[in-house]
Amino acid sequence: MPPLRQRKPGNTADEDDSSEHQEDGGVSNGQQAQNKPSSNPPPTPAPAPSPLLDTVCTFGAQTFTTDQGLKIIQWSSWAIAYLTASSRHHKETLSPALQKLSGEVSFTRYVLRFYGFFQSLEGYRSGSWAGGSWDNPKIAKIAKYLMAGSMLFYYPLEHVAYAGWQLPTLSKFSRDNANKMSALSCVFWTTFIIGDFWASCLKWNELKKKLNDLGRLLAIKKRDDDKAGMMEVEQEQHAVAKRIRLVKLQVIRCLLFILPSVNWSLPNWATNPLLGELPLNGLMLAEAYTSVYQTLTSAYTHKGNSLAKVLLIWIPSSRCSSCPASFNMGRNGCFLKKPHIKPDIRTKRNVTRSALNNGRSCTMRLWWKVNG
């Protein structure tokens, strides 16, 4: 490690001259520098944060969400290639190019799943794939043994199949054997999907019971005129309702996955598939968009953040000069505050205000309702 640079010792004579000059009533060099107008330009203000860029960067920083983005590219490329295959102008140029791109992205996703075995092992040991604690003990067991346990076999078999496809000269597996290894891996993937569907249904049932209990509790709070308790119960109701929506999306994804997984689990899936190209890849296309929507919905609702609050995060100031509305800036974003206006995500009345703030215009979009 290089030694730290030390400041050079100052000139003693210069320091003495400076002190004598100050004693004689002169102005020191430091004072002269302070009296001179600064020639340096003012610092450039930092750009306002962009929720869109933050969402995209967060989305791309994780392997799981990166794979979801690649799924969109893969199956969207296939869809465009399929639609343009019968076009006279694009069937020899655009369609085969996009078909090739779809295949290349597919193999890229195989590489991203090289870390899947260790993630599955962690989920098996810790039980984290259950998604929190649940009253029904079956959920934790399904997540551990059916879901994480099956993926412990899925990933190594898939890696062997990938090596047989990409390294045929170095691997002892021919392409046919690689296809069989891929089919065997998809058997465990199908097991995972069945377990995920089962666990999601149990979660859905448990959350519905919890929501019903909260409804009865809210009725008691209303009867006792406990406004603080009513507000707390309503917030918990919204949180449970959001979790139910996410579970519903997971169930939809499982239903979209099950037929393709069975198709690819058959030994002759490459030569005599169960599903044709259109239904098979169409289901995968629908699942890709559903998964991204689920991830974005989960990000927006994390820690109580609503979509309206996320849309207002970028507002730079606590008050706009051209309207009397004030903005409460907090950890969960900004929301409009007026005596007669109460934010409510449940209503879908869209209000747009334009205001000028520090020379910049800002537009606020919020779902709200007017009380009384």
Side-chain angles (χ1 to χ4, degrees):
M1 182 176 179
L4 297 176
R5 294 184 179 181
Q6 298 180 356
R7 182 181 296 178
K8 294 182 180 180
N11 192 336
T12 306
D14 293 340
E15 293 177 356
D16 294 338
D17 293 341
S18 175
S19 60
E20 291 176 0
H21 186 62
Q22 293 178 15
E23 291 176 357
D24 294 339
V27 181
S28 65
N29 294 334
Q31 293 176 344
Q32 290 178 1
Q34 292 178 358
N35 294 333
K36 291 182 180 180
S38 176
S39 59
N40 297 329
T44 305
S50 172
L52 177 61
L53 291 179
D54 292 343
T55 302
V56 173
C57 292
T58 304
F59 194 86
Q62 302 176 9
T63 304
F64 176 74
T65 51
T66 299
D67 181 71
Q68 290 183 333
L70 291 177
K71 279 198 297 186
I72 294 291
I73 298 175
Q74 175 188 350
W75 299 114
S76 297
S77 300
W78 165 83
I80 300 174
Y82 184 85
L83 293 175
T84 57
S86 58
S87 174
R88 183 176 59 182
H89 302 286
H90 302 296
K91 65 179 181 180
E92 296 181 357
T93 55
L94 181 62
S95 181
L98 291 178
Q99 195 74 35
K100 181 181 178 182
L101 175 63
S102 177
E104 293 294 334
V105 175
S106 175
F107 278 112
T108 302
R109 294 180 58 213
Y110 276 93
V111 177
L112 288 179
R113 291 197 289 268
F114 280 174
Y115 300 98
F117 174 81
F118 302 100
Q119 296 171 353
S120 304
L121 183 60
E122 189 278 332
Y124 183 83
R125 295 185 61 189
S126 65
S128 59
W129 284 20
S133 59
W134 301 90
D135 296 335
N136 193 338
K138 290 183 180 180
I139 297 177
K141 293 180 180 179
I142 293 171
K144 180 176 182 178
Y145 296 107
L146 280 184
M147 296 173 63
S150 62
M151 300 307 277
L152 288 174
F153 296 94
Y154 165 78
Y155 285 111
L157 292 172
E158 185 187 59
H159 301 336
V160 173
Y162 177 80
W165 290 327
Q166 298 295 97
L167 305 172
T169 57
L170 300 180
S171 174
K172 296 181 179 180
F173 287 89
S174 63
R175 188 171 186 84
D176 293 337
N177 292 331
N179 291 341
K180 293 179 181 179
M181 295 300 294
S182 176
L184 184 58
S185 70
C186 287
V187 171
F188 291 100
W189 181 41
T190 304
T191 305
F192 168 85
I193 296 171
I194 295 173
D196 193 6
F197 179 80
W198 187 7
S200 298
C201 291
L202 294 177
K203 292 177 183 179
W204 189 353
N205 187 37
E206 183 172 323
L207 290 173
K208 283 196 302 182
K209 290 181 180 179
K210 187 174 183 180
L211 192 60
N212 294 333
D213 293 339
L214 290 173
R216 288 189 289 269
L217 180 60
L218 181 61
I220 296 175
K221 298 293 184 181
K222 288 182 179 180
R223 186 186 59 190
D224 298 339
D225 198 19
D226 185 0
K227 295 183 178 180
M230 289 169 53
M231 184 178 298
E232 183 178 354
V233 174
E234 286 179 349
Q235 291 177 354
E236 192 170 355
Q237 277 185 326
H238 293 327
V240 174
K242 291 171 185 177
R243 295 180 67 184
I244 290 177
R245 286 197 294 269
L246 294 176
V247 171
K248 287 180 180 180
L249 290 173
Q250 190 66 26
V251 169
I252 293 174
R253 291 182 60 196
C254 292
L255 294 176
L256 293 172
F257 263 145
I258 189 63
L259 287 179
S261 67
V262 172
N263 175 84
W264 287 320
S265 299
L266 301 177
N268 56 348
W269 64 268
T271 57
N272 187 21
L274 176 66
L275 300 176
E277 179 185 8
L278 181 59
L280 176 64
N281 295 349
L283 289 171
M284 296 302 296
L285 176 66
E287 190 281 329
Y289 280 94
T290 304
S291 66
V292 172
Y293 176 75
Q294 181 192 33
T295 299
L296 294 178
T297 303
S298 176
Y300 285 148
T301 58
H302 183 58
K303 294 182 180 180
N305 287 340
S306 65
L307 182 59
K309 293 178 183 179
V310 172
L311 292 175
L312 292 175
I313 283 176
W314 58 271
I315 296 179
S317 178
S318 60
R319 191 175 184 86
C320 290
S321 58
S322 64
C323 70
S326 62
F327 295 89
N328 187 1
M329 307 292 291
R331 292 183 304 170
N332 294 334
C334 325
F335 54 92
L336 188 62
K337 293 188 66 177
K338 269 192 172 183
H340 62 284
I341 294 178
K342 178 182 177 182
D344 192 345
I345 198 65
R346 292 172 295 179
T347 60
K348 295 184 178 179
R349 183 175 177 183
N350 196 334
V351 174
T352 302
R353 290 180 179 269
S354 296
L356 189 64
N357 179 36
N358 298 329
R360 293 175 294 181
S361 62
C362 64
T363 302
M364 303 166 289
R365 301 178 63 86
L366 181 64
W367 289 340
W368 55 278
K369 70 176 181 181
V370 178
N371 293 335

